[in-house]
Amino acid sequence: MKLLQLPECILGEFEATATPKFAILSNCRDNIHLRGGKRDISSSNLHESFANSWIIKAADHLALLGIYHIWVAEVCIGSADEERNEAVNGLRQRLEKAEVCFVYLHDLPAGVSYDQDVWAKCTFWKQARALPDLLIPPRVEFFDQGWAPRGSKGSTELASLISSITNISTRVLLDSSTLTDFGLGVRISWAAGRTASLEEDLIYYLAPILGISMQTRYDEGREQAFLRLQKKVLRDCRDGSLFGWLSSDEKEVRGMFSKSPDEFSHFAGPHKKYQWDGPWPMSSKIRFCNRGLELQVQTYKLDPYIVVDIGCCEANLSQLKHRRVGVLLRNWSGVYVRAKPAVQSVVFSTAPFQMIDVVQHLDARKASKIRSYFESQDNSSSLMSISQVEKHLTTTLAISTSPRDVLEAGSMPGISPNEDTRSGNATPTSVQLSTGIKRGRSGRPMSSPGSRQEQAGPSSRSYRRSHSDSESSDSDSDASSESEYDDYDEYEDEVIELDPNHPLLVIRSNLVDFVYGQGKSWMSSATYTTPPQDRLPPKKRCRTIDDQSSPALIKYEEGADDHFIARRFDGFYHLACPYYIAKPEKYYKSCLLGHSLQSIEDVIGHLIQHHKEPPYCPICRREFDSPWVRDQHVRTRTCAVVNSGEVDGVNERQRRKLRKRDRVRLGEETRWTRVWHTVFPELAPPESPYLHDGVDVAVAMMRDYWATRGPKLAEGYLGDSAQLDSHDMQTLDAFYRLVLDDLLAKVWDDVDFRSGSGEAGSSETV
């Protein structure tokens, strides 16, 4: 590293491991760029050249701090390619190692107070080089045109003033270590509206803010440099806010990447659309291919477009758990391009994953050609017109003060903009949404338990291959198995409770007592058994109707005289959660009453979603609610080392193994045992993976009873107590779920089942 030694003004080069204490001088008066400084003078006359310069004046202040070496752009950057690359790629490390960064505001009048109007006129705030100089160094000192100290960015008053001028959060100004807590879209927005003497330098100064390094290619232009930066960033993260940019022309046709940091300006400033500043978790899988970007992403059909989910913007945690954002894509010759790039959609439901190819970048000529093609298609096609689509889309992503307003806006794929998309003043269209709705991962409202057989039948994801498929190679099984569980990874279903004054809740207790009496009577005579281990999944866990004349579930056994004996029974045992068996005192009630596991896919999905290893301190083994809180704790370095102490949960390594080791061809018990060995490699597996004793099987049987007969009993009971026509299916579905919760709670509290004196039904084992 080249440093200028003071007061002699001798330029020297130092090894990275032997760098003396040094300061960085930041000055926008000469508008120095990273391509090379103004070092057109020899080392012998540097002191003479700088005799009356601002560098010598800075030296007087640095001497008070015991610092006699400085890094300044116009002296320490040469014109050679190696020096330019070092200046760009070593910028972050250089700023972090510096003892202090002096910012000389040559156009700030001496003695002026903290008047925002006066300070905002300083050209430093609009320079690209100001961004890393403000954010990365732990200590930044400001001086006015008379070289009088004006304060440090670490002071609350000055940090607040700088934040008002630059739209940069005071949190990162006061603590540079929090930089990574901000999403990519927010960090890029800090570069919006800034200038540099060479347009590529705007991107090179942004790179260390995003935590990457870039090769310098001057004369390529800002757009190409920004495209390279986005590709580089995308290889190392899955922050969907990188795709959250907005164009000023909604009729444009674009690629997936932005052209300028200015298109991220809505992430900060007066027109800020998102209260959440953190990363947007994006559950998609992304890879680069010869057709652009290959995305395995959740999509929503809206002819002639698709809405692609680009991540979860947890904007209002107290009112709505997940608030996701989508962008519009349109098919062109087998690949997708971004259409209406000035529009975004609020996404509240979930949808299946789909593999699509999206163009990364379009030049102006090709974009114009595609745009003309789309316009001709819209004029001649019977598909939904652009104006009709606009009625279903919105660009209003500002946080609603009312959770009801947010939910109303989210019941459609999107809402149309009523005003300028960049103004932040659009008004969402209000759509009535029934209360008490739970939406499944398919994006559709979940039907009543009777119709969808939530408890009785296997999961809709459970078995999609025929018997011949189950004999396929392990590699095929691997690929399919991993895709089966992708939608378990990030989000839980969102449940909207019924209003406490809803009329159905008045009869809730009486209905529960009525159904429980009927169910307990059925359970006393019902027969359950283990499913056949013929490597095929059981078709059903329970009979679906009460008609005794219809075929019951039948198990065939070979008799003594080589005859097959048919035994009638009512259902198969449900599978147990491995954590429930290994640590019943901790997970007994929550796993048993909260989840029904009717397939191995259900077991794996349950482990991934509900038994994920929590963030914990590797030093003291303390658990935390979020990685951010854990990291804050670790940074304090105040805890003591604890060598013992177990942290429950499936870690990332186990999560991958759960997906890859599952084999449908092995049979249910063997597959469950594999799951056990993955989660608890040092513990011996239990004799059975099923819930077959006491209250365990009683809870499972009550689930099955409610799923197969409960809604019919409830409808008959409610027919005399309420007008069912006044309640839609979604409201009834929410009510039925509350009834099921009460039924399971009564089974749990029933002394007969817990003591074993009234054990449910009879059991048979294979």
Side-chain angles (χ1 to χ4, degrees), residues 533-546:
Q533 298 300 309
D534 55 2
R535 302 187 299 176
L536 289 178
K539 299 300 182 183
K540 297 177 182 178
R541 288 280 171 184
C542 181
R543 295 174 56 195
T544 58
I545 57 175
D546 250 340

Side-chain angles (χ1 to χ4, degrees), residues 183-185 234 237-245 256 267 274 276 278-286 295-300 307-316 320-329 338 344-351 353 397 399 490-491 494:
L184 293 174
L234 189 61
C237 79
R238 289 295 178 267
D239 181 356
S241 65
L242 182 65
F243 301 127
W245 55 270
M256 200 65 180
F267 278 88
Y274 319 104
W276 176 255
W280 295 4
M282 187 176 180
S283 56
S284 307
K285 293 183 179 179
I286 304 174
L295 307 181
Q296 185 179 358
V297 64
Q298 290 176 294
T299 62
Y300 310 83
V307 180
V308 172
D309 189 339
I310 63 171
C312 175
C313 174
E314 296 180 293
N316 201 333
L320 191 64
K321 189 171 184 180
H322 300 302
R323 189 166 189 259
R324 298 185 298 278
V325 181
V327 296
L328 290 174
L329 302 182
R338 184 162 174 184
Q344 288 178 340
S345 173
V346 182
V347 179
F348 287 85
S349 59
T350 57
F353 282 80
L397 297 179
I399 302 309
E490 298 295 339
Y491 308 110
E494 296 165 8

Side-chain angles (χ1 to χ4, degrees), residues 680-755:
F680 301 110
E682 298 180 357
L683 296 181
E687 295 181 359
S688 172
Y690 299 105
L691 301 173
H692 55 72
D693 290 324
V695 71
D696 295 354
V697 69
V699 168
M701 294 174 76
M702 181 58 76
R703 285 185 185 276
D704 290 343
Y705 182 79
W706 172 258
T708 57
R709 301 162 177 82
K712 184 177 179 180
L713 289 173
E715 289 171 5
Y717 182 84
L718 294 176
D720 298 331
S721 304
Q723 294 295 323
L724 290 181
D725 293 341
S726 62
H727 305 291
D728 58 29
M729 184 57 68
Q730 295 169 344
T731 300
L732 287 175
D733 181 57
F735 175 65
Y736 287 159
R737 292 179 185 280
L738 295 176
V739 173
L740 176 59
D741 290 343
D742 291 347
L743 289 172
L744 299 183
K746 286 181 72 68
V747 174
W748 174 265
D749 294 333
D750 197 314
V751 177
D752 291 342
F753 294 127
R754 299 193 65 83
S755 63

Side-chain angles (χ1 to χ4, degrees), residues 95-225:
L95 290 169
E96 288 176 339
K97 291 177 65 176
E99 297 292 322
V100 65
C101 177
F102 276 10
V103 176
Y104 175 48
L105 303 176
H106 71 279
D107 45 4
L108 179 66
V112 70
S113 63
Y114 285 164
D115 186 337
Q116 180 174 333
D117 293 336
V118 178
W119 280 69
K121 293 178 182 178
C122 295
T123 55
F124 174 79
W125 312 117
K126 290 299 182 181
Q127 293 296 318
R129 65 180 298 178
L131 193 56
D133 289 351
L134 277 174
L135 297 178
I136 298 178
R139 181 180 178 185
V140 181
E141 301 289 340
F142 295 89
F143 298 83
D144 61 24
Q145 63 183 10
W147 271 100
R150 301 313 309 272
S152 169
K153 76 162 186 175
S155 67
T156 305
E157 184 178 9
L158 188 54
S160 178
L161 175 63
I162 295 173
S163 177
S164 301
I165 297 173
T166 63
N167 297 321
I168 298 175
S169 172
T170 55
R171 182 156 65 98
V172 72
L173 290 172
L174 295 173
D175 183 2
S176 57
S177 65
T178 64
L179 184 61
T180 55
D181 294 339
F182 292 84
L184 293 174
V186 176
R187 283 183 271 173
I188 295 174
S189 72
W190 295 336
R194 296 183 181 273
T195 60
S197 57
L198 295 176
E199 58 180 354
E200 296 90 351
D201 280 344
L202 173 63
I203 308 305
Y204 299 151
Y205 278 119
L206 179 59
I209 306 301
L210 304 183
I212 63 170
S213 59
M214 292 181 65
Q215 184 78 15
T216 56
R217 297 178 187 173
Y218 284 99
D219 301 325
E220 70 173 332
R222 186 176 71 172
E223 186 174 322
Q224 284 299 320

Side-chain angles (χ1 to χ4, degrees), residues 185 188-189 191-194 199 202-203 206 222-227 229-230 242 245-247 254 257-266 361 422:
I188 295 174
S189 72
R194 296 183 181 273
E199 58 180 354
L202 173 63
I203 308 305
L206 179 59
R222 186 176 71 172
E223 186 174 322
Q224 284 299 320
F226 191 45
L227 178 61
L229 177 139
Q230 293 173 89
L242 182 65
W245 55 270
L246 289 175
S247 170
R254 297 276 293 275
F257 289 121
S258 171
K259 293 181 179 180
S260 168
D262 294 342
E263 294 181 327
F264 290 83
S265 60
H266 57 286
H361 178 71
R422 302 295 293 274

